[in-house]
Amino acid sequence: MTFKRLKIAVYADGADKDAMIAEYKKGYVTGFTTNPSLMKKAGVKDYVSFAKEVVAAIPDLPLSFEVFGDDFETMEKEAKVISALGKNVFVKIPIMLTNGTSTVPLIKKLSDQGIQLNVTAIFTVGQVRATVDAFKPGSRNIVSVFAGRLADAGTDPIPVMKKTAKICRSKPGTMSLWASTRELFNIVEADRCKCDIITVPNSVLAKIPGMGTTPMEGSKNTVLTFAKDIKELGFSILG
């Protein structure tokens, strides 16, 4: 499978502004997602300034920025600030608060106000259905299911992602997203599940140029790598 044969849209997942711009220029990705954990890792100091700079640098692709609040009133206010940053911006809303309360009522309220949403931290088909039902007909939204974290817990994400894609297709404008990507082959898996989008960290995006390498080429490349490392080690088994 080569990258060009895939139908799925690949979004870059990160919060390093320079790295985001670099990926934007490469042309592989067609959108970007961020989250609080990625912002912490990237050392973002001023959320709004960071978001404004990213929107200015990437004005023509979808960008997702997440609210920080943990109550409906704060999250709604933050959602309006984030949404106002640009027409290409999607507001990320976690599917629940830290106390387990579902955010579906807030999702419905924001969607009715015309705010584009990316509902995140979804793990179950039930959460997918409730989210999609809450979207205003005719609106554009993203449903992010954490397939990678499901797999980390020993759960096969494929059946969940296939059902997610089908449910999202039932409401025009709703896009299914495979989140928490762990390896390059996840892009192929997500494409087979007919997901609309997959978010990919830069470490995995870097492997895209090698997509389509044949098994024999892989075997030879591995042996060449061993040979290079052997030479650099300078060791001798025979003395």
Side-chain angles (χ1 to χ4, degrees), residues 62-142:
L63 303 170
S64 290
F65 298 106
E66 189 164 340
V67 297
F68 275 19
D70 192 38
D71 64 85
F72 287 4
E73 183 179 355
T74 302
M75 294 166 81
E76 182 177 357
K77 290 177 180 178
E78 292 175 339
K80 291 177 180 178
V81 171
I82 294 170
S83 178
L85 293 172
K87 293 182 179 180
N88 59 327
V89 171
F90 285 74
V91 180
K92 292 185 77 173
I93 302 289
I95 189 59
M96 66 174 69
L97 304 181
T98 56
N99 65 7
T101 300
S102 171
T103 57
V104 166
L106 176 63
I107 291 167
K108 185 179 188 309
K109 185 176 183 180
L110 294 175
S111 184
D112 286 343
Q113 293 174 14
I115 294 176
Q116 297 181 136
L117 302 175
N118 178 341
V119 182
T120 188
I122 292 177
F123 278 67
T124 73
V125 173
Q127 289 174 326
V128 172
R129 287 198 181 98
T131 298
V132 174
D133 286 344
F135 292 147
K136 181 180 179 180
S139 60
R140 291 184 70 231
N141 303 284
I142 299 170

Side-chain angles (χ1 to χ4, degrees), residues 102-208:
S102 171
T103 57
V104 166
L106 176 63
I107 291 167
K108 185 179 188 309
K109 185 176 183 180
L110 294 175
S111 184
D112 286 343
Q113 293 174 14
I115 294 176
Q116 297 181 136
L117 302 175
N118 178 341
V119 182
T120 188
I122 292 177
F123 278 67
T124 73
V125 173
Q127 289 174 326
V128 172
R129 287 198 181 98
T131 298
V132 174
D133 286 344
F135 292 147
K136 181 180 179 180
S139 60
R140 291 184 70 231
N141 303 284
I142 299 170
V143 177
S144 294
V145 179
F146 280 51
R149 295 199 184 195
L150 281 171
D152 287 344
T155 299
D156 182 0
I158 300 300
V160 175
M161 299 314 299
K162 285 183 177 179
K163 291 177 182 177
T164 295
K166 184 176 181 180
I167 293 169
C168 289
R169 285 197 298 274
S170 71
K171 198 160 203 175
T174 302
M175 296 167 279
S176 56
L177 185 150
W178 175 304
S180 62
T181 297
R182 301 295 190 245
E183 59 188 14
L184 188 67
F185 190 66
N186 290 156
I187 302 177
V188 177
E189 291 178 310
D191 188 68
R192 289 175 178 173
C193 289
K194 297 184 179 180
C195 292
D196 297 297
I197 307 164
I198 183 169
T199 53
V200 184
N202 291 344
S203 59
V204 176
L205 287 173
K207 299 177 182 179
I208 287 178

